Amino acid sequence: QAGSIGSEVPGPSWKHDGPENNQCSLYPFQVSFHQLGWDHWIIAPHRYTPNYCKGTCPRVLRYGLNSPNHAIIQNLVNELVDQSVPQPSCVPYKYVPISILLIEANGNILYKEYEDMIAQSCTCR
Amino acid sequence: KTGQQSSIALLTEAPTLPLIQELLDEAPGKEHKKPQVLGHPLRYMLELYHRSADLYGHPRENRTIGATMVRLVRPMANVARPLRGPWHTQNLDFPLRPNQVAYRLVRATVVYRHQLHLTHFHLSCHVEPWVQKSPDNHFPSSEGSSLKPSMMSKAWTEMDITQHVQQRLWNHKGRRILHLRFMCQQQKRSEILQLQWRGTSSLDVAFLLLYFNDTHTNNQKAKPLSRGLEEFMESESPLLLRRVR
């Protein structure tokens, strides 16, 4: 299994401008639960880093992108048959969970691990 | 601003997604004030959280929690009962929510004060399950083999009651309440102590911890493969027959 593109969060010098060629990549993004309007019941963590994927998908989907066969065919269809069929989109490939500590309405306290809450890498599909 | 005001409203527009359902079930409305939970219950859960996840909420790889969800249940407000013999007792009632299909109970423990300090008085305490007396009922005592408390700190003790909860309560339908009895003993009887004892609240002396594992996630991940494989294996006659019918 080859690693997917942008599997590592880029460093600070890179993060504001994005990759030079605007290629599909993972972007770090942080939000507070206050901004989401959930801080009245979530105790921890204070900040949530969901990240996001952005960028164009290349004409030739190389192996490292972890694209499924369908995406490769859709690219070919877009290029050779019908341009109204869109190119594959840049979307999250792998996710990791987040642990949350919250207070329920009745005063009980809940620790819970939510799956697929943080994007870790991106793919074109 | 828009996000703060309408995040719950947005969630209600997609109520069929499992995460959205859970958030709607568990998130109190913005109009509800955050319930005040202070003291040992909150400290215990914060410690459990920091042991299990880092500052950003990423679960630690070496976490030993053994569950994907832990619910701390506080007892219903209850005042101490009058003195009976050498024992000072309080009945602790823990309301249990209906079972969630996707979650399997893996462990239940009660955390309680084994030393209670009232002004000038020190009491030694323990907790035991309380069930209505009948000839068939067996009352496990804290000295029994299944209920061995373990010391957490100078004042708090944790005791495993998984077997008791699973056998006597977990599969019951309707409203379920776990009854425990908190019992304390002091060598010298004192009227002042009695007054202080009657003023203690059940909220300060014990709480219940329920550990669950999420079976839903595993099933969901397994589904596409098994369904695809099943359809492939059965693609000859059964599916065709059903379509014709």
Side-chain angles (χ1 to χ4, degrees), chain A residues 30 34-49 96-118, chain B residues 3-4 7 11 19 22-23 26-30 34-35 37 42 45-46 48-49 52-53 55-59 63 65 68-74 97 103 217 221:
Chain A
Q30 204 172 66
H34 174 71
Q35 287 172 293
L36 290 173
W38 295 350
D39 58 319
H40 63 298
W41 59 291
I42 292 179
I43 308 171
H46 294 300
R47 291 191 163 272
Y48 167 36
T49 312
V96 290
I98 187 172
S99 297
I100 285 177
L101 192 66
L102 59 95
I103 296 186
E104 295 179 303
N106 57 8
N108 293 336
I109 310 175
L110 188 71
Y111 165 91
K112 193 164 179 177
E113 292 173 15
Y114 287 94
E115 290 294 324
D116 303 337
M117 292 287 282
I118 298 168
Chain B
Q4 282 177 36
S7 63
L11 293 179
L19 171 67
E22 283 182 22
L23 289 173
E26 286 160 9
K30 190 82 180 172
K34 188 190 278 186
V37 183
L42 184 59
M45 287 304 274
L46 280 171
L48 178 142
Y49 184 85
S52 309
L55 272 179
Y56 301 97
H58 303 136
R63 63 192 183 281
I65 192 170
T68 54
M69 182 165 89
V70 183
R71 173 170 283 119
L72 182 149
V73 184
R74 301 167 79 208
R97 286 164 53 128
Y103 290 93
T217 313
K221 280 181 180 166

Side-chain angles (χ1 to χ4, degrees), chain A residues 20-38:
Chain A
E20 281 172 18
N21 53 5
N22 192 30
Q23 194 176 278
C24 174
S25 289
L26 182 76
Y27 286 75
F29 186 78
Q30 204 172 66
V31 64
S32 70
F33 285 113
H34 174 71
Q35 287 172 293
L36 290 173
W38 295 350

Side-chain angles (χ1 to χ4, degrees), chain B:
Chain B
K1 276 183 183 173
T2 312
Q4 282 177 36
Q5 285 160 5
S6 62
S7 63
I8 298 293
L10 281 170
L11 293 179
T12 55
E13 287 176 19
T16 51
L17 289 171
L19 171 67
I20 306 299
Q21 272 180 349
E22 283 182 22
L23 289 173
L24 289 173
D25 284 349
E26 286 160 9
K30 190 82 180 172
E31 66 277 9
H32 289 106
K33 276 190 171 180
K34 188 190 278 186
Q36 281 295 313
V37 183
L38 301 167
H40 197 70
L42 184 59
R43 276 203 303 277
Y44 184 95
M45 287 304 274
L46 280 171
E47 204 173 290
L48 178 142
Y49 184 85
H50 292 309
R51 276 201 321 267
S52 309
D54 66 17
L55 272 179
Y56 301 97
H58 303 136
R60 295 187 194 280
E61 288 209 1
N62 58 353
R63 63 192 183 281
T64 53
I65 192 170
T68 54
M69 182 165 89
V70 183
R71 173 170 283 119
L72 182 149
V73 184
R74 301 167 79 208
M76 290 190 271
N78 205 342
V79 289
R81 292 162 65 95
L83 192 71
R84 282 187 178 178
W87 291 100
H88 299 66
T89 64
Q90 273 192 40
N91 290 341
L92 306 177
D93 295 340
F94 297 90
L96 304 182
R97 286 164 53 128
N99 288 347
Q100 289 172 279
V101 179
Y103 290 93
R104 186 171 60 87
L105 179 74
V106 290
R107 193 168 168 233
T109 64
V110 59
V111 178
Y112 63 92
R113 283 180 191 270
H114 69 261
Q115 285 181 1
L116 197 59
H117 303 291
L118 303 176
T119 324
H120 307 303
F121 297 100
H122 295 255
L123 301 165
S124 302
C125 309
H126 75 269
V127 161
E128 59 182 41
W130 182 86
V131 282
Q132 270 193 321
K133 281 188 179 180
S134 84
D136 299 332
N137 276 340
H138 168 67
F139 300 91
S141 82
S142 58
E143 289 157 11
S145 57
S146 62
L147 299 171
K148 283 180 185 167
S150 59
M151 299 284 200
M152 294 166 61
S153 67
K154 278 182 184 174
W156 291 84
T157 294
E158 184 163 5
M159 185 169 73
D160 194 311
I161 53 167
T162 313
Q163 219 180 344
H164 176 80
V165 172
Q166 278 179 335
Q167 283 177 358
R168 293 189 179 272
L169 207 65
W170 201 246
N171 294 321
H172 286 198
K173 287 178 181 169
R175 193 161 184 250
R176 299 170 307 172
I177 295 179
L178 171 68
H179 302 287
L180 297 178
R181 182 170 281 175
F182 179 67
M183 303 176 77
C184 297
Q185 196 174 27
Q186 195 236 3
Q187 287 178 346
K188 282 185 182 176
R189 284 180 65 173
S190 156
E191 284 185 17
I192 301 167
L193 174 61
Q194 281 197 51
L195 286 172
Q196 286 180 3
W197 171 254
R198 291 180 77 168
T200 57
S201 163
S202 56
L203 297 173
D204 304 325
V205 295
F207 54 85
L208 178 69
L209 292 167
L210 300 172
Y211 294 75
F212 299 91
N213 257 340
D214 185 353
T215 55
H216 183 262
T217 313
N218 297 339
N219 288 346
Q220 269 205 332
K221 280 181 180 166
K223 259 182 197 169
L225 178 65
S226 59
R227 200 192 298 141
L229 198 65
E230 200 176 66
E231 280 179 7
F232 178 72
M233 300 285 280
E234 291 180 355
S235 62
E236 287 298 316
S237 58
L239 276 179
L240 286 172
L241 281 174
R242 274 203 290 274
R243 276 179 197 150
V244 170
R245 191 165 59 207

